[in-house]
Amino acid sequence: MSDKILKTDDEWKRILTEEQFRVLREKGTETPNSGKYYRFHKHGVFLCAACGNELFSSETKFESGTGWPSFWAAVSSDNVETAPDRSLDRERTEVLCARCGGHLGHVFADGPEPTGMRYCINSVSLGFREEE
Ligand code: FE
């Protein structure tokens, strides 16, 4: 991922919906159970809603019961980045798109095998490309 995308807030606002801007650029969180990819079972690849970067495969999606789309792995460790998030009283690990820096959600170490990881991702940060 050498082709980083850098845009100003004004440029992002022209591309993103208000809710996408709030989550992707201002690190917001969508209301649980509200997202279009929470109960969603098609086969394909989930993309960054801001830049189209491939982020998660439907092969790694699982029912977490949390209200947000959940995955046990990213498509590639090159495509997502993590950062410490101390905005609550407990420390969490933020997940970002490695290409545009968009906020996707958080990752927790209480996921299923084979990785034991749970990427808890906002639907509004995602697009989807269906595959056979
Ligand atoms: Fe992106």
Side-chain angles (χ1 to χ4, degrees), residues 107-112 115-119:
V107 60
F108 303 91
D110 60 6
T115 62
M117 303 307 281
R118 172 172 60 92
Y119 288 81

Side-chain angles (χ1 to χ4, degrees), residues 48 50-53 97 99-102:
C48 175
C51 78
N53 192 14
C97 172
R99 184 190 281 166
C100 73

Side-chain angles (χ1 to χ4, degrees), residues 9-66:
D9 280 354
D10 280 347
E11 288 172 324
W12 282 123
K13 278 179 182 170
R14 268 178 244 137
I15 298 170
L16 304 173
T17 67
E18 219 168 284
E19 175 72 350
Q20 284 175 329
F21 185 86
R22 188 182 72 81
V23 174
L24 282 157
R25 306 312 310 178
E26 300 184 318
K27 305 186 189 302
T29 301
E30 72 190 10
T31 307
N33 299 302
S34 73
K36 65 176 174 179
Y37 296 126
Y38 179 47
R39 298 182 195 284
F40 181 89
H41 301 285
K42 290 185 176 170
H43 290 277
V45 181
F46 293 87
L47 312 168
C48 175
C51 78
N53 192 14
E54 296 188 359
L55 299 174
F56 300 98
S57 165
S58 60
E59 303 298 306
T60 65
K61 195 173 189 295
F62 69 99
E63 292 306 314
S64 62
T66 58

Side-chain angles (χ1 to χ4, degrees), residues 47-105:
L47 312 168
C48 175
C51 78
N53 192 14
E54 296 188 359
L55 299 174
F56 300 98
S57 165
S58 60
E59 303 298 306
T60 65
K61 195 173 189 295
F62 69 99
E63 292 306 314
S64 62
T66 58
W68 292 281
S70 301
F71 305 87
W72 48 259
V75 161
S76 159
S77 57
D78 291 337
N79 292 21
V80 298
E81 287 177 351
T82 57
D85 175 2
R86 298 183 186 88
S87 63
L88 294 184
D89 54 359
R90 63 204 162 89
E91 177 156 332
R92 295 176 296 168
T93 301
E94 181 187 4
V95 182
L96 304 117
C97 172
R99 184 190 281 166
C100 73
H103 173 79
L104 304 174

